[in-house]
Amino acid sequence: MNTPSPRPPAGAHEPARNPGGWRLRMYTVIFEADTRAGRLFDLVLVALILASATVVVLDSVASVHDRHGALLTALEWFFTVAFTVEYIARLVCVRHPLRYARSAFGIIDLVALLPTYIAVFVPGLHALIDVRLLRLLRLFRILKLGAYVTEFGLLGRALVASRRKILVFMVFVLMVVTIMGTLMYVVEGPENGYTSIPVGVYWAITTMTTVGFGDITPKTDLGRVIASTMMLLGWGTLAVPTGIVSAEFTAQRFGRSPTTRTCHECLSEGHLPSARFCRDCGAPLPPWQHDATLADPSTPGQRPG
Amino acid sequence: MNTPSPRPPAGAHEPARNPGGWRLRMYTVIFEADTRAGRLFDLVLVALILASATVVVLDSVASVHDRHGALLTALEWFFTVAFTVEYIARLVCVRHPLRYARSAFGIIDLVALLPTYIAVFVPGLHALIDVRLLRLLRLFRILKLGAYVTEFGLLGRALVASRRKILVFMVFVLMVVTIMGTLMYVVEGPENGYTSIPVGVYWAITTMTTVGFGDITPKTDLGRVIASTMMLLGWGTLAVPTGIVSAEFTAQRFGRSPTTRTCHECLSEGHLPSARFCRDCGAPLPPWQHDATLADPSTPGQRPG
Amino acid sequence: MNTPSPRPPAGAHEPARNPGGWRLRMYTVIFEADTRAGRLFDLVLVALILASATVVVLDSVASVHDRHGALLTALEWFFTVAFTVEYIARLVCVRHPLRYARSAFGIIDLVALLPTYIAVFVPGLHALIDVRLLRLLRLFRILKLGAYVTEFGLLGRALVASRRKILVFMVFVLMVVTIMGTLMYVVEGPENGYTSIPVGVYWAITTMTTVGFGDITPKTDLGRVIASTMMLLGWGTLAVPTGIVSAEFTAQRFGRSPTTRTCHECLSEGHLPSARFCRDCGAPLPPWQHDATLADPSTPGQRPG
Amino acid sequence: MNTPSPRPPAGAHEPARNPGGWRLRMYTVIFEADTRAGRLFDLVLVALILASATVVVLDSVASVHDRHGALLTALEWFFTVAFTVEYIARLVCVRHPLRYARSAFGIIDLVALLPTYIAVFVPGLHALIDVRLLRLLRLFRILKLGAYVTEFGLLGRALVASRRKILVFMVFVLMVVTIMGTLMYVVEGPENGYTSIPVGVYWAITTMTTVGFGDITPKTDLGRVIASTMMLLGWGTLAVPTGIVSAEFTAQRFGRSPTTRTCHECLSEGHLPSARFCRDCGAPLPPWQHDATLADPSTPGQRPG
């Protein structure tokens, strides 16, 4: 979510070339939040998004639906039309409509429109309109929350950096739950609710994640022995993601990611932020300021105010 | 809870100006715990609070209520009247009654009185008297536990400092559970217990927090696939708060909050509390005493024996 | 369990003064594990303990009980008599019988005997014989596991050191679950299973610890809103113990507990284990060996006795 | 799974001595992945493994089984025969067939064959064919994932290093759950679902691991008090593995495993991996290569094959 996109979103949102005055104005209002009009537009947009989500939620409550069903449907169509118009407007006033349409936000904006239209043919799906909430991700840009998410950007970057570690972990977990699920299917069998291997896997996941719904539970002694082992080991296994994340936050908390201090001479890593010379070959290290420029925005939360 | 209030509570508890002797005595007894009378008063107060809470708890047990209902009601009224008198007394003997009434403790003291009176009109609410337990927060002051909570004060301050990180996290979680809840509502539908989107969201929260009551569970294959994904990802997601808190405690455990020691000359961070000069540019650092007043009493637990 | 006993266990196990040869031999066999006889005795003891526990477990299984009930009862009495003899023997051959009887192990040894005898009068209690497993704590001494538990000794010491932090946390948690339990009792009421405040508190604990049995669950909308909030906040709350423990292990992992390196000149703390001079005043620090000697006796709780 | 095999697996995979050209070719194709043929063979193998697992999973779904049962059985036999041929081929073309047969992979390969054959005599067991997924561990070798798992190799080594800590922890947990399970069996009794001590232990495990299925729950007041205590303490207890793992990852994150760098002269610890001289006495440290060689083969379980 926070990985730097190859092409800065700004890049996707340039005004149309030699725009007619109205297109430039439109661009400024829709895509920028620095003019009063632009800011107003964004706030109205957020209000509409929240309102439309609320409408869908209320509509799903039987009692409310029975009383105000017609009104809610009307509102839903109103919001959908409004968002459709907005989407077209965005396409019109950017220089590279396709590039916008292919950008993360462009896709979200489009997907957020479809449910209502689809619901015409496939009733019931319209509840999916809640996907519109994803549009709130805009809030981060609107409210200039850039700094707010930088820390998570760091976390995201760190997780991307250790994606191999996570990949291996996930493969391992999936392998384990599949085998355990199969085992329980064989041991407990359909008569105890383990009607198929997929169900067994589903059970294994609820168990290893310590969710433990209890809709399916082992009844036989052997099954309970296996389950007990799974729980004890599973806990240890799931300590791994916590460990990875904790380590990242600890590294951030200490205001340093040692891997960013590499000696240009001998490529040795892990130099303390305060080090000025390479422990290894004595070559001078890139100055702390360099690190600071990275670390500074990365720890806004750490410097209250 | 631990954020330093703009106005020190002490400030809210000055004796009345030119008080009649009785008001000053009263103030000393009620608000201070350094005289024998004051200490006695506080201990009696704690006893009364615990007793009144116990009464309410016992009264809620059907068997006890049937046998001793009348007695318990009488006791409850006795305690309520006692606390009312105490509250009025507090108002009388402080210099700024309004300021006390608006202080955290003043509000708690008042709220702790209302349930009994309200219960006269709205029966059943009187159980809320347990809110009186909040008054036990006084214990920290009474038993001079200030030092005891300083560590949590540090934690609290750190969490406040990273409030934006937490805000972003909560917004993200709420967005996810709403969308997942909607998805399950669409996939599983009312016939499987997902009677409305709010119910779906409630289920999504029980699942992502790994509580997993199991009162509502997916029955369809697709629903179980989605649930399984949620559990695996949810675990990773909820590793985040643990990570944040662990990082804070680790920072405390290492006896330093690096971000608070910044060199004013070169802005380098992460200096040890005991350091007196910048590791980097040799400029003198803000003295340890400054840090000590905050950190020193804050780490009694760190100096065993 | 980890509180240091005022008197070193060794003190409780001195042979009787001017003992007859047989008493000294007996002491050597029973209390020491360095002679072949002593070692043998200890191993037999462990075997008997495990055997008697197994007997009780088997006896609790209806099918086994019906078939071998008589045999199991006989065995149980055999073990109990054997342990009784052993207990008396211990009393006989130590110099201070009372001191042994009052030591942690003495009490465990006694308690481990009672269930069978009590069961004569109060049937059913004999299952409690499993408390004999506590006697296995002896294993640590027998198998010279001292070193094995040193790390936990460090953890234990750290937790003891931050007992106030933990106390405050527990008080806070108990206050919260009581109030939340009361709230749910008022909101949901007996008709939804919250038959009394204690039951509500029990539910609040299952929820905040993310155990979530699901035997009692909120049915009303308001109840579910409150529960959802509890779960989200509860998770954060329970991240605290994890954070404390993680911080301790991290400190250990980094091979240093900064508080043990204090400059005798200026009392500055947090010196690295490898540091030889005070960062602050340049005075020589106590050598690293000093730290090692600290680590050893630091495990009073781990040597029960 | 991570225990270092006495003999490096590589040793188990030498081509037959003075092999006929066909045997050497076969060896290159089957055991190596550097030739086009070898790579192709491996990919086909992975495809077959996944396919056969899928077949078993599908076969377990009643609806699918009824429609395509015969086909799936046929496919299963096809895969089994194919894997049998492959297994024989492996035996034929390695220099030390027995050594291969005794290697971790050899055993997995064999075990993966048995279920189908066994199922002829003991129907139902054939679902265990999913154990074939274990063969996917080969993926790590095939896709040259060595580097991917090194981090877990470090973790694994660290956990092996603290195996005593973990052993003590497990013994402690098992002791606690046994005693608590017994206690609940005595307090709640069969009429509340605690039909035997083993069942009580099973319940205690589900509770302490916060899985909380809810298939068995305390009904009596005393039972609920005990359960509540267990949950609160259990949470703290299970914070231990998380703490251990978090500490390991934090140590890795900070780019050093201090305990493995000890100065042979002054026994000081905590040297950075990149350090070449003792911070303390200036003596040269064992070279980083030494550390590397430790890190690499120390993860045999991690790079199967």
Side-chain angles (χ1 to χ4, degrees):
Chain A
M1 166 189 171
N2 284 327
T3 48
S5 59
R7 188 186 307 104
H13 300 328
E14 299 159 29
R17 200 177 282 95
N18 321 323
W22 64 272
R23 284 179 71 190
L24 182 51
R25 267 200 308 285
M26 201 156 122
Y27 174 85
T28 329
V29 172
I30 295 180
F31 279 98
E32 292 172 3
D34 306 321
T35 62
R36 282 188 69 265
R39 193 151 190 70
L40 184 65
F41 175 85
D42 283 334
L43 294 182
V44 171
L45 186 60
V46 171
L48 287 181
I49 292 169
L50 289 174
S52 69
T54 314
V55 163
V56 175
V57 170
L58 288 176
D59 196 31
S60 75
V61 182
S63 58
V64 181
H65 177 78
D66 300 342
R67 225 175 302 108
H68 311 293
L71 168 62
L72 294 172
T73 314
L75 280 171
E76 181 185 319
W77 275 106
F78 164 72
F79 289 125
T80 307
V81 171
F83 290 133
T84 314
V85 172
E86 177 219 352
Y87 182 68
I88 294 163
R90 285 180 186 275
L91 282 177
V92 169
C93 69
V94 288
R95 181 183 299 168
H96 309 288
L98 254 184
R99 187 182 291 180
Y100 158 73
R102 277 193 275 94
S103 73
F105 273 130
I107 291 161
I108 291 175
D109 294 345
L110 180 59
V111 170
L113 295 175
L114 304 182
T116 317
Y117 297 115
I118 296 173
V120 177
F121 311 101
V122 191
L125 282 193
H126 74 115
L128 290 179
I129 283 171
D130 273 4
V131 76
R132 276 173 190 170
L133 287 172
L134 286 178
R135 299 195 67 190
L136 292 179
L137 290 174
R138 269 217 171 66
L139 271 172
F140 293 130
R141 189 173 57 77
I142 296 167
L143 307 180
K144 303 253 170 302
L145 294 186
Y148 286 58
V149 288
T150 312
E151 285 146 332
F152 284 93
L154 278 181
L155 178 62
R157 206 179 52 186
L159 294 184
V160 169
S162 55
R163 63 189 174 292
R164 300 187 305 182
K165 197 188 282 183
I166 291 162
L167 171 73
V168 172
F169 177 70
M170 288 309 289
V171 169
F172 175 70
V173 167
L174 290 177
M175 216 184 278
V176 169
V177 291
T178 311
I179 290 173
M180 297 312 292
T182 308
L183 198 56
M184 292 303 282
Y185 166 73
V186 173
V187 171
E188 291 281 330
E191 64 276 20
N192 292 330
Y194 296 79
T195 52
S196 71
I197 291 180
V199 170
V201 173
Y202 160 75
W203 173 85
I205 291 174
T206 61
T207 304
M208 286 197 70
T209 53
T210 78
V211 171
F213 282 131
D215 51 349
I216 306 167
T217 54
K219 301 283 182 302
T220 67
D221 296 343
L222 179 53
R224 285 176 167 173
V225 171
I226 297 170
S228 304
T229 320
M230 270 183 72
M231 292 182 234
L232 289 174
L233 297 183
W235 218 96
T237 311
L238 283 171
V240 170
T242 311
I244 295 175
V245 174
S246 298
E248 286 312 323
F249 276 115
T250 306
Q252 284 182 37
R253 183 68 181 71
F254 277 80
R256 58 157 165 162
S257 53
T259 52
T260 62
R261 299 304 303 279
T262 307
C263 171
H264 291 189
E265 295 303 325
C266 64
L267 298 177
S268 60
E269 290 189 349
H271 298 287
L272 293 172
S274 53
R276 291 168 64 196
F277 294 98
C278 174
R279 237 188 264 89
D280 222 10
C281 62
L285 292 170
W288 168 252
Q289 278 71 9
H290 163 59
D291 205 30
T293 48
L294 287 176
D296 224 45
S298 79
T299 57
Q302 305 300 355
R303 301 211 189 115
Chain B
M1 166 189 170
N2 284 327
T3 48
S5 59
R7 185 185 310 104
H13 301 329
E14 298 158 32
R17 200 177 283 92
N18 320 324
W22 66 272
R23 285 180 71 192
L24 182 51
R25 268 200 306 288
M26 201 154 122
Y27 175 85
T28 329
V29 172
I30 295 180
F31 279 98
E32 292 172 2
D34 306 321
T35 62
R36 282 188 70 266
R39 191 149 190 72
L40 184 65
F41 175 86
D42 284 332
L43 295 182
V44 170
L45 186 60
V46 170
L48 287 181
I49 293 168
L50 289 174
S52 69
T54 314
V55 164
V56 175
V57 171
L58 288 176
D59 196 31
S60 76
V61 182
S63 59
V64 181
H65 178 79
D66 300 342
R67 225 176 302 108
H68 312 291
L71 168 62
L72 293 172
T73 315
L75 280 170
E76 183 185 318
W77 274 106
F78 164 72
F79 289 125
T80 307
V81 171
F83 290 134
T84 314
V85 172
E86 177 218 351
Y87 183 68
I88 294 163
R90 284 180 185 273
L91 282 176
V92 169
C93 68
V94 289
R95 182 183 299 168
H96 310 287
L98 255 184
R99 188 182 289 182
Y100 159 73
R102 276 193 276 95
S103 74
F105 274 129
I107 291 162
I108 291 175
D109 293 345
L110 180 59
V111 170
L113 295 175
L114 304 182
T116 317
Y117 298 115
I118 296 173
V120 176
F121 310 102
V122 191
L125 281 194
H126 73 117
L128 290 179
I129 284 171
D130 272 6
V131 76
R132 275 173 191 170
L133 287 171
L134 285 179
R135 299 195 68 192
L136 292 180
L137 290 174
R138 269 219 171 63
L139 271 172
F140 293 129
R141 190 173 57 76
I142 297 168
L143 307 181
K144 304 254 171 299
L145 294 186
Y148 287 58
V149 289
T150 312
E151 285 147 329
F152 284 93
L154 277 181
L155 178 63
R157 203 179 53 184
L159 294 184
V160 169
S162 54
R163 62 190 174 291
R164 298 187 303 184
K165 195 189 281 184
I166 291 162
L167 171 74
V168 171
F169 177 70
M170 289 308 288
V171 169
F172 175 69
V173 167
L174 290 177
M175 215 184 276
V176 170
V177 290
T178 311
I179 291 173
M180 296 311 292
T182 308
L183 198 56
M184 292 304 282
Y185 166 72
V186 173
V187 171
E188 291 281 330
E191 63 276 20
N192 292 330
Y194 296 79
T195 52
S196 70
I197 290 180
V199 170
V201 173
Y202 159 75
W203 173 85
I205 291 173
T206 61
T207 304
M208 286 197 70
T209 53
T210 77
V211 171
F213 283 131
D215 52 349
I216 307 167
T217 54
K219 300 284 181 304
T220 67
D221 296 343
L222 178 53
R224 284 175 167 173
V225 170
I226 297 171
S228 303
T229 320
M230 269 184 73
M231 291 182 236
L232 289 174
L233 297 183
W235 218 97
T237 311
L238 283 170
V240 170
T242 311
I244 295 176
V245 174
S246 296
E248 286 312 323
F249 275 115
T250 305
Q252 284 183 35
R253 182 66 181 72
F254 278 79
R256 58 161 166 163
S257 53
T259 54
T260 62
R261 299 304 304 279
T262 306
C263 172
H264 291 188
E265 295 304 323
C266 63
L267 298 177
S268 61
E269 292 188 349
H271 298 286
L272 292 171
S274 52
R276 291 167 62 200
F277 295 97
C278 174
R279 255 194 246 87
D280 222 11
C281 64
L285 293 170
W288 165 249
Q289 280 70 9
H290 162 58
D291 206 32
T293 49
L294 294 173
D296 220 43
S298 80
T299 57
Q302 305 300 355
R303 295 213 193 113
Chain C
M1 169 190 170
N2 281 332
T3 50
S5 59
R7 187 181 308 104
H13 300 327
E14 296 158 33
R17 199 176 282 94
N18 320 325
W22 64 272
R23 284 179 72 193
L24 182 52
R25 268 198 308 285
M26 202 154 122
Y27 175 84
T28 328
V29 172
I30 295 180
F31 278 99
E32 292 172 0
D34 306 322
T35 63
R36 281 188 70 265
R39 192 150 191 71
L40 184 64
F41 175 87
D42 284 333
L43 295 181
V44 171
L45 186 60
V46 171
L48 287 182
I49 293 168
L50 289 174
S52 68
T54 315
V55 164
V56 175
V57 171
L58 288 176
D59 196 31
S60 76
V61 182
S63 58
V64 181
H65 178 77
D66 300 341
R67 226 176 302 108
H68 312 291
L71 169 62
L72 294 172
T73 315
L75 281 170
E76 182 185 319
W77 274 106
F78 164 73
F79 289 124
T80 307
V81 171
F83 291 133
T84 314
V85 173
E86 177 219 352
Y87 182 69
I88 293 163
R90 285 179 185 275
L91 283 176
V92 169
C93 67
V94 289
R95 182 181 299 169
H96 309 287
L98 254 184
R99 189 182 289 181
Y100 159 73
R102 276 193 275 93
S103 74
F105 269 127
I107 291 162
I108 291 175
D109 293 346
L110 180 57
V111 170
L113 295 176
L114 303 182
T116 317
Y117 297 114
I118 296 173
V120 177
F121 311 101
V122 190
L125 282 194
H126 73 117
L128 291 179
I129 285 171
D130 272 7
V131 76
R132 277 174 189 170
L133 287 172
L134 285 178
R135 300 194 67 190
L136 291 180
L137 289 173
R138 270 219 171 65
L139 271 173
F140 292 130
R141 190 173 56 77
I142 297 167
L143 306 181
K144 305 254 172 300
L145 293 186
Y148 286 58
V149 288
T150 310
E151 286 144 328
F152 282 93
L154 283 178
L155 178 63
R157 193 182 57 179
L159 294 184
V160 169
S162 55
R163 62 192 174 289
R164 299 188 302 185
K165 196 189 280 183
I166 291 161
L167 171 73
V168 172
F169 177 71
M170 287 309 288
V171 169
F172 175 70
V173 167
L174 289 178
M175 216 184 274
V176 170
V177 290
T178 311
I179 290 173
M180 297 311 292
T182 308
L183 198 56
M184 293 302 283
Y185 166 72
V186 173
V187 171
E188 292 280 330
E191 64 276 20
N192 292 330
Y194 296 79
T195 52
S196 71
I197 291 180
V199 170
V201 173
Y202 159 74
W203 173 85
I205 292 173
T206 61
T207 304
M208 286 198 72
T209 53
T210 77
V211 171
F213 283 131
D215 52 348
I216 306 166
T217 53
K219 300 282 182 300
T220 66
D221 296 344
L222 178 53
R224 286 175 167 173
V225 170
I226 297 170
S228 303
T229 320
M230 269 184 71
M231 293 181 233
L232 289 174
L233 296 183
W235 218 97
T237 311
L238 283 171
V240 169
T242 311
I244 295 175
V245 174
S246 297
E248 286 312 324
F249 275 115
T250 306
Q252 284 183 35
R253 184 67 181 71
F254 276 80
R256 58 158 165 162
S257 52
T259 53
T260 62
R261 300 304 303 277
T262 307
C263 172
H264 291 189
E265 295 304 323
C266 64
L267 299 177
S268 62
E269 292 190 350
H271 297 287
L272 292 170
S274 52
R276 291 167 65 199
F277 296 97
C278 174
R279 242 190 258 86
D280 220 10
C281 64
L285 292 170
W288 169 252
Q289 282 71 6
H290 165 60
D291 204 31
T293 51
L294 261 185
D296 258 43
S298 79
T299 60
Q302 304 302 350
R303 303 217 192 103
Chain D
M1 168 189 173
N2 280 332
T3 50
S5 58
R7 186 179 309 104
H13 300 330
E14 298 157 30
R17 200 176 283 95
N18 321 325
W22 65 272
R23 285 180 71 192
L24 183 51
R25 266 200 307 287
M26 202 156 123
Y27 176 85
T28 329
V29 172
I30 295 179
F31 279 99
E32 291 172 3
D34 306 322
T35 63
R36 282 187 70 265
R39 192 149 191 72
L40 184 65
F41 174 86
D42 284 333
L43 295 181
V44 171
L45 185 60
V46 171
L48 286 181
I49 292 168
L50 289 174
S52 69
T54 314
V55 164
V56 175
V57 171
L58 288 175
D59 196 32
S60 76
V61 182
S63 59
V64 181
H65 178 78
D66 301 341
R67 224 174 305 110
H68 313 290
L71 169 62
L72 293 171
T73 315
L75 281 170
E76 182 186 318
W77 274 106
F78 164 73
F79 289 125
T80 306
V81 170
F83 290 134
T84 313
V85 172
E86 177 217 351
Y87 183 68
I88 293 163
R90 286 180 185 275
L91 282 177
V92 169
C93 67
V94 288
R95 182 182 300 169
H96 309 287
L98 254 185
R99 189 182 288 181
Y100 159 73
R102 276 194 275 93
S103 74
F105 268 120
I107 291 161
I108 291 175
D109 293 346
L110 180 58
V111 170
L113 295 175
L114 303 182
T116 316
Y117 297 116
I118 296 172
V120 176
F121 311 101
V122 190
L125 281 194
H126 75 116
L128 289 179
I129 284 172
D130 273 7
V131 77
R132 277 173 189 171
L133 287 171
L134 285 179
R135 300 195 67 192
L136 292 180
L137 289 173
R138 270 219 169 64
L139 271 172
F140 293 129
R141 190 172 57 78
I142 296 167
L143 307 181
K144 304 254 172 301
L145 293 186
Y148 287 58
V149 287
T150 311
E151 286 145 328
F152 282 94
L154 284 177
L155 178 63
R157 194 182 58 179
L159 294 184
V160 169
S162 54
R163 62 190 174 291
R164 300 186 305 182
K165 197 188 281 183
I166 291 162
L167 171 73
V168 171
F169 177 70
M170 289 309 288
V171 169
F172 175 70
V173 168
L174 290 177
M175 215 184 276
V176 169
V177 291
T178 311
I179 291 173
M180 298 310 293
T182 308
L183 198 57
M184 292 303 282
Y185 166 73
V186 173
V187 171
E188 291 280 329
E191 64 276 20
N192 292 331
Y194 296 79
T195 51
S196 71
I197 290 179
V199 170
V201 173
Y202 160 75
W203 173 85
I205 292 173
T206 61
T207 304
M208 286 196 72
T209 53
T210 77
V211 171
F213 282 132
D215 52 349
I216 306 167
T217 53
K219 300 283 182 302
T220 67
D221 296 344
L222 178 54
R224 285 176 166 173
V225 170
I226 297 170
S228 303
T229 320
M230 269 184 72
M231 292 181 234
L232 289 174
L233 296 183
W235 218 96
T237 312
L238 284 172
V240 170
T242 311
I244 295 175
V245 175
S246 297
E248 286 311 324
F249 276 114
T250 306
Q252 283 184 35
R253 184 68 181 69
F254 277 79
R256 58 161 165 162
S257 55
T259 52
T260 61
R261 300 306 301 277
T262 307
C263 172
H264 291 189
E265 294 304 324
C266 63
L267 299 177
S268 62
E269 292 188 350
H271 297 287
L272 293 171
S274 52
R276 290 167 64 197
F277 295 97
C278 173
R279 256 197 242 85
D280 222 9
C281 64
L285 293 169
W288 167 249
Q289 280 72 6
H290 165 58
D291 205 32
T293 49
L294 265 185
D296 263 42
S298 80
T299 60
Q302 303 300 355
R303 26 156 116 131

